[in-house]
C-alpha cells in the first residue's frame, strides 16, 4: 500500500493552474488600477456623497425690501446688502460670530441692564453654507441673523423674550433655529433650563415683544425663573443658539 505522501506526489494538478487566461475579476482589477490608479477595485457599488448646492441669492425668494434696524436704540433704514455691515460698524457692543448650520454658539447677556432701549441686539450671526452672491469681504456669502431680547408684561408679570431675526425666504423656506438659556455655571445639573425651536422673525415684521409672543416665535422666560437662572441677579444669563 502506498503512503499518503506518494499519493499526493502522484496526483496531477488541475489544468486550470497552468491556464494563462486572466479571470474577469483580474481584468476588472487591472482595468480599474491601470486607468484610475487612485481607485481600488471593489465588488460593491460605491455611492458618492452628494453635497447640497448652495443657492445664489438671485435664485431665492429672500426679500430685498428695505427695513428698519431691529435695535430699539437705532431704527435706521437698512437693506439686506448692508445689514451685516451696519450692525458691525454702527453697533460696536454687538458681538459677531461666523457659524455653520447645526454649529452651536453661546453668548452671555445681562437681562437686567438699566436704561437700555428695547428691544436689544446682542449678537450678529453670519451663517455660512446658506447663500451665494450676498455681501462683500468677510460678510460675503453669509446670511446675517441677530439675537434679540426684550422685556414685556403678561398678566401683570414681567417676562424676558429671546428671538432671532433675519432675512426671510418666506413660508416653508423660512430659516429655523433653536435657542436655549440656562445658568452660567459649569457645575449645573442641566445644560440649559429652557429652550425654543421654531422659525425666525423676519426683519420686515414687527420686533415688538408682545407681537412676537402672540405669534409664538420666541423663548419666553418668566421673571421668577429668570431670577433663579441668574442666581438673584449675580450672574449673566447664558444663551446658546444654533441654526438648521
Amino acid at each position: 500500500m502506498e503512503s499518503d505522501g506518494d499519493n499526493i506526489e502522484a496526483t496531477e494538478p488541475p489544468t486550470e493552474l497552468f491556464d494563462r487566461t486572466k479571470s474577469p475579476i483580474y481584468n476588472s482589477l487591472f482595468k480599474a488600477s491601470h486607468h484610475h490608479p487612485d481607485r481600488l477595485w471593489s465588488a460593491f457599488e460605491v455611492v458618492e456623497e452628494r453635497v447640497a448646492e448652495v443657492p445664489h441669492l438671485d435664485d431665492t425668494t429672500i426679500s430685498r425690501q428695505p427695513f428698519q434696524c431691529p435695535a430699539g436704540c437705532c431704527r435706521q433704514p437698512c437693506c439686506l446688502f448692508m445689514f451685516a455691515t451696519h450692525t458691525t460698524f454702527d453697533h460696536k457692543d454687538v458681538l459677531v460670530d461666523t457659524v455653520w448650520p447645526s454649529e452651536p454658539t453661546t453668548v452671555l447677556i445681562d437681562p437686567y441692564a438699566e436704561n437700555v432701549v428695547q428691544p436689544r441686539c446682542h449678537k450678529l450671526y453670519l451663517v455660512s453654507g446658506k447663500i451665494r452672491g450676498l455681501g462683500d469681504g468677510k460678510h460675503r456669502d453669509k446670511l446675517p441673523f441677530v439675537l434679540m431680547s426684550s422685556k414685556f408684561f403678561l398678566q401683570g408679570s414681567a417676562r424676558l423674550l429671546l428671538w432671532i431675526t433675519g432675512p426671510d425666504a418666506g413660508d416653508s423656506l423660512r430659516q429655523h433655529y433653536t435657542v436655549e438659556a440656562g445658568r452660567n455655571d459649569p457645575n449645573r445639573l442641566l445644560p440649559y433650563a429652557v429652550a425654543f425651536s421654531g422659525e425666525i422673525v423676519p426683519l420686515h415684521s414687527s420686533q415688538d415683544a408682545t407681537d412676537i409672543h402672540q405669534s409664538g416665535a420666541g423663548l419666553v422666560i418668566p421673571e421668577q425663573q429668570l431670577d433663579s437662572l441668574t442666581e438673584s441677579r449675580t450672574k449673566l444669563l447664558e444663551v446658546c443658539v444654533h441654526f438648521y
Side-chain angles (χ1 to χ4, degrees):
M1 182 176 179
E2 296 180 352
S3 64
D4 292 341
D6 293 337
N7 288 335
I8 293 176
E9 292 178 357
T11 302
E12 291 291 334
T15 57
E16 289 82 356
L17 293 179
F18 300 100
D19 186 4
R20 295 180 179 272
T21 303
K22 303 298 187 296
S23 68
I25 294 180
Y26 179 91
N27 292 333
S28 299
L29 176 60
F30 176 78
K31 182 178 180 180
S33 60
H34 179 72
H35 296 288
H36 304 282
D38 57 328
R39 300 180 184 176
L40 292 178
W41 181 88
S42 173
F44 300 95
E45 179 183 4
V46 178
V47 179
E48 296 183 358
E49 181 180 359
R50 295 183 178 180
V51 180
E53 183 179 354
V54 178
H56 192 279
L57 179 63
D58 294 339
D59 300 325
T60 69
T61 56
I62 295 178
S63 175
R64 306 186 196 183
Q65 295 297 318
F67 53 87
Q68 286 187 331
C69 173
C73 61
C74 182
R75 298 301 187 187
Q76 177 178 323
C78 289
C79 68
L80 178 62
F81 295 94
M82 293 300 297
F83 179 54
T85 302
H86 163 71
T87 304
T88 302
F89 290 97
D90 295 339
H91 297 282
K92 298 294 186 181
D93 57 330
V94 175
L95 301 175
V96 181
D97 198 1
T98 299
V99 298
W100 288 87
S102 299
E103 178 184 359
T105 176
T106 60
V107 62
L108 299 177
I109 69 173
D110 180 7
Y112 298 105
E114 300 292 339
N115 302 321
V116 177
V117 180
Q118 306 287 337
R120 298 172 59 193
C121 179
H122 296 282
K123 192 172 186 178
L124 170 66
Y125 301 93
L126 300 173
V127 183
S128 301
K130 286 287 186 178
I131 200 71
R132 292 183 296 113
L134 174 64
D136 294 309
K138 63 181 180 180
H139 300 150
R140 184 171 181 79
D141 296 339
K142 297 177 178 64
L143 275 180
F145 297 94
V146 177
L147 172 64
M148 307 290 297
S149 77
S150 185
K151 291 285 190 67
F152 73 105
F153 286 85
L154 181 65
Q155 298 178 348
S157 176
R159 300 169 190 268
L160 177 70
L161 180 67
L162 298 170
W163 73 94
I164 294 289
T165 185
D168 181 30
D171 300 328
S172 61
L173 299 178
R174 186 167 294 164
Q175 179 66 48
H176 284 68
Y177 74 100
T178 293
V179 57
E180 302 168 288
R183 287 189 177 90
N184 176 27
D185 184 356
N187 298 319
R188 61 194 175 199
L189 296 178
L190 296 175
Y192 295 101
V194 289
F196 166 83
S197 291
E199 298 178 346
I200 65 160
V201 176
L203 283 165
H204 300 86
S205 298
S206 170
Q207 303 295 323
D208 180 76
T210 302
D211 294 339
I212 295 174
H213 170 64
Q214 291 177 350
S215 67
L219 173 62
V220 179
I221 307 178
E223 186 176 30
Q224 297 85 348
Q225 188 175 22
L226 187 62
D227 186 71
S228 174
L229 294 177
T230 58
E231 297 187 10
S232 300
R233 306 189 181 191
T234 61
K235 290 188 176 182
L236 299 175
L237 181 69
E238 182 174 324
V239 179
C240 178
V241 174
H242 68 264
F243 299 87
Y244 300 121

